[in-house]
Every structure is written in structure tokens, then in C-alpha cells.
Amino acid sequence: MSRRLLFVDHVGELGGAELSLLDIVDHFNGQCRVVLFQDGPFKDRLIERGADVLVMEAQDAFLEVSRESSAWSDVLAMPELAKLAWRLARRAKHFDVIYANSQKAMLISAMAGMMARRPVIWHLRDILSDEHFSANHLRIARVVANKFVSFVIANSEATRNAFVSCGGRPDLVRVVYNGIDAAPFDAISNLDVQSLCDELGLNNTKLVGIFGRLSRWKGQHVLLQAMSSLPDLHALIVGGALFKDDHIYDDKLRSLAREMGVESRVHFLGFRHDVPALMKLVDIVVHASISSEPFGRVIVEGMLAGTPVIASAAGGAMEIVDSGRNGLLVPPGDSASLQKAIQLILSSRTQAENMAQEGGRDARVLFNRENMVTSIREIVESVCSNTGRL
């Protein structure tokens, strides 16, 4: 039986959670609507794929609540949260289940679910720990999820374990790994890669790439520090700043490159739409997060590109990378270990090729879209059936 889903996300920008939701929505098109609380590129990408999208603009009082926010800021956000929940509940009555794709979306969806008497699924894509969230926000997430969410989908065992450790009900949660489409990577030819290399002026250059939002916890500075002892190495930094703190970090990152004397070898490319080609172009894809990553999408993407991957040994990355077989793991924030790992891959073509081949196979078997969507369909059906509603 086809179930009607109301997907909910609070952001308009494109991050890993949103890219994953794009793939999910693709498989439910015709059965769903996507509600966003902010306009932006995410809406445009959804519309390009034929999705039914509604933007319910939220006020800054709600959107700007963060780990650093005071309790008073949380109080000021409550009227906006209630208003959004009421508006969402009116639309939810035409759907079988509300599917929240972020923590803020979950809070609104839980309230709307009560009003509309609809079950709520929360796709949890964050490590719920004091490293990322305030004690108050952790408490709110735990209480609301335990009482008002029908099911929690965790994108890794690390995410699941953090949810349970902070008091989340173990019976609510199941791990479903992100599934990533291999087709965009398989479509890139050697000629495409060479053309891109010519465009960037990087022929005959040893090259690493780090992909993702510019943010301190993503660890781009760790790569710059590692480069200081690798004089022939160039780096592509692909991604841009989204939030205020990210823009500050962007400026500091460029200053660091100048201070360390690597500015001429670091290429800030900003946000790009040719990530598969860029990942095929580089000799190594580096994931350098200094905090636990909930999943590690760029790691799987690097594997799909057929490129050796080095990742930080924390969080979901440790469920993707079997160090020495399909990639390498290094301690988070350890630039000396990252430098050695880069040198190892660049100095051993045979080992690099073997790791890339193993990574490509693992990515296609363990992290494919079909597995992800099949599991989500099973969960949706189970949740809807348990409510007694048809």
C-alpha cells in the first residue's frame, strides 16, 4: 500500500542531510510533499527533481537557536515553534506520516503530529552529545522523542548509540545507513577529468581534496597543517561557509594558509556542482573532522569515485573505513598522522589502488540507495500499520 509522506526540514541550504533527503524523496515522488522552513538552494534542487515543495518561512527567533543560545533565546523561540506546528498540522491531515529530517524539524513535527493525530518519524543525523548540543537542547530532544515520536532512524551506529546514551529509548531507534547513488560518479570519463584538470591548471600535480561546508569541526585547518611538511602537495578545498561562525572560520583558514606558506598550493573552490569529477581528479579524498561525524557522506562519495580515502577515526567514519583495507583512519585533529597517511598513499601506487578498489566495492554494496529506501519503506509501513490507520 502506498503511504503519503510529509517530509519536513528546517533549512534551505544544501548539507549532507539534505542531499540524503533528496535521494529519499526521489523514491516517494507522487506520494509526498516536502515542507521547508527556509527558502534556498535545497528548494530549487527538490523542484528540479519534480518534488512538491512548500516553504513555510520561519522567523529568525527559531532558526537562529543554536548550542550557544541562552535559555531565554529558547523561550523567545517557543511562539514561533507553536505557530509553525499549527500550520504544519493543518497540512499533515492529508498525509499518513510526518517525516522529520532534522532536530528542529522534529520538535515542530512532534507538536504537529499531536495536533493532527499523525505518527512522526525522526531521521536522526546528529551525534546527540554535549560536544555538539547544550544540556538543555539534549534534554528537550530526548523527552520529545521518547514521548511523541513513533520511530527514530539513525544514520549510523554511532548516532544510535549517542541517542541511547543521552536517554533515548532503544526500542524506538534503528540504524539505516545513508545510500548514495553511484551513477554520477560512474558517468565521469577520463576525458572529463582531464578537462577539469586543464581548467584548474593542475596537471602533473599531487593533489588532495577536502569536501564539505567550511566549519572548524570539519577540520580543513588540520589538512593545511599537514601540508606544511609536504612541499609538493596541492589541496582543493571544496565547499563554502553557511553560517556566521563559518564565515569567520573561512577568513581564519585563508590567513592560516598565508602564515604557513602554503597559500599558493591551496585552492579554495567554494561550492561546486561537479563534485564527482573533482573527487576523481584528486589523488586522495581527505575527511578531517575533529569531532565525531554522524555518518561521513564524503567518505562514501570518495570511495564511489574510485579514489583512496583518509578519514578521522571517530563516529560514523569508523563504520565505513576498515583502515588499511578500503582506506586509512587517523586520529581526529592529528595533522602529523594525516601527513604520514598522505605520504603512505602517494608513495605506494599498488596499495592506493587496492584500497580504492575495496572502497568502491564496499560503497556499492553497503551504502547504496536501494538498501536505504527499502528499509525506510519498511519502517513507514510498520509505523502506519501500528497506528491502526489505513
Side-chain angles (χ1 to χ4, degrees):
M1 179 180 295
S2 295
R3 301 296 185 177
R4 296 163 296 169
L5 280 74
L6 186 63
F7 292 103
V8 186
D9 201 316
H10 78 279
V11 301
E13 300 294 338
L14 275 167
E18 287 67 45
L19 290 171
S20 180
L21 185 60
L22 278 172
D23 289 330
I24 296 169
V25 170
D26 272 350
H27 287 264
F28 287 95
N29 256 340
Q31 305 168 239
C32 69
R33 168 176 280 187
V34 183
V35 173
L36 306 178
F37 299 135
Q38 193 176 45
D39 205 343
F42 185 31
K43 180 199 74 174
D44 298 335
R45 289 285 292 274
L46 285 162
I47 291 173
E48 285 173 10
R49 297 196 183 196
D52 176 12
V53 184
L54 172 66
V55 177
M56 291 169 37
E57 289 278 5
Q59 298 298 314
D60 290 345
F62 172 74
L63 293 174
E64 293 179 358
V65 171
S66 67
R67 186 187 193 283
E68 290 74 27
S69 299
S70 65
W72 179 242
S73 296
D74 294 345
V75 171
L76 292 177
M78 287 303 296
E80 179 66 6
L81 189 153
K83 182 174 74 173
L84 291 170
W86 179 77
R87 293 174 63 191
L88 186 65
R90 290 172 56 201
R91 288 151 178 91
K93 292 177 180 179
H94 304 290
F95 295 86
D96 296 295
V97 62
I98 307 173
Y99 191 112
N101 197 53
S102 67
Q103 185 166 330
K104 288 182 179 179
M106 181 274 289
L107 297 176
I108 294 172
S109 297
M111 190 178 296
M114 287 189 292
M115 296 177 186
R117 299 181 63 187
R118 294 296 185 271
V120 175
I121 294 173
W122 179 21
H123 203 140
L124 175 57
R125 305 178 185 274
D126 292 305
I127 299 285
L128 295 182
S129 71
D130 55 13
E131 188 176 23
H132 297 282
F133 297 95
S134 69
N136 188 49
H137 292 165
L138 288 174
R139 187 181 308 110
I140 292 170
R142 179 188 70 239
V143 170
V144 174
N146 283 347
K147 291 188 176 182
F148 305 112
V149 170
S150 299
F151 205 96
V152 178
I153 299 173
N155 64 355
S156 69
E157 291 290 346
T159 301
R160 178 196 180 280
N161 292 340
F163 174 74
V164 174
S165 294
C166 81
R169 286 169 44 195
D171 60 299
L172 277 183
V173 61
R174 171 180 163 187
V175 174
V176 177
Y177 286 123
N178 289 345
I180 300 171
D181 187 9
F185 297 88
D186 295 340
I188 304 299
S189 68
N190 291 335
L191 182 59
D192 295 328
V193 175
Q194 185 57 54
S195 297
L196 183 56
C197 191
D198 295 339
E199 174 195 325
L200 296 173
L202 294 170
N203 285 293
N204 303 314
T205 301
K206 293 297 184 183
L207 193 60
V208 300
I210 187 165
F211 299 80
R213 165 185 153 202
L214 293 186
S215 181
R216 179 170 177 77
W217 81 273
K218 290 291 187 179
Q220 286 91 351
H221 62 282
V222 181
L223 176 58
L224 297 192
Q225 292 163 354
M227 288 181 64
S228 63
S229 301
L230 298 168
D232 299 323
L233 185 70
H234 285 241
L236 301 183
I237 297 184
V238 183
L242 293 180
F243 307 110
K244 181 179 178 180
D245 288 346
D246 297 345
H247 287 285
I248 295 171
Y249 178 68
D250 185 359
D251 293 338
K252 289 181 177 179
L253 205 58
R254 294 170 192 269
S255 296
L256 178 63
R258 289 192 294 271
E259 292 167 8
M260 303 193 72
V262 299
E263 183 180 15
S264 63
R265 298 188 282 120
V266 178
H267 310 274
F268 290 88
L269 301 188
F271 289 107
R272 302 274 297 210
H273 296 292
D274 55 353
V275 166
L278 288 167
M279 284 188 167
K280 281 183 173 284
L281 170 64
V282 300
D283 296 289
I284 304 169
V285 170
V286 172
H287 165 275
S289 294
I290 62 175
S291 300
S292 297
E293 189 86 53
F295 179 68
R297 183 183 181 91
V298 297
I299 302 171
V300 177
E301 290 177 334
M303 291 175 169
L304 290 173
T307 303
V309 173
I310 301 172
S312 295
M318 299 181 69
E319 299 166 46
I320 301 171
V321 179
D322 179 8
S323 195
R325 184 183 65 83
N326 65 3
L328 292 176
L329 291 170
V330 295
D334 189 337
S335 60
S337 294
L338 177 57
Q339 173 202 326
K340 291 176 183 176
I342 291 171
Q343 287 176 316
L344 176 63
I345 290 177
L346 294 179
S347 64
S348 177
R349 175 182 288 270
T350 299
Q351 185 175 7
E353 289 178 350
N354 288 341
M355 285 192 295
Q357 289 174 3
E358 290 293 322
R361 279 194 287 266
D362 287 350
R364 284 167 169 76
V365 172
L366 301 175
F367 308 108
N368 64 71
R369 289 200 304 176
E370 289 69 28
N371 288 348
M372 175 182 69
V373 172
T374 297
S375 295
I376 290 173
R377 283 193 178 279
E378 291 173 355
I379 291 167
V380 169
E381 183 59 36
S382 174
V383 167
C384 291
S385 297
N386 287 341
T387 65
R389 296 180 62 254
L390 296 179

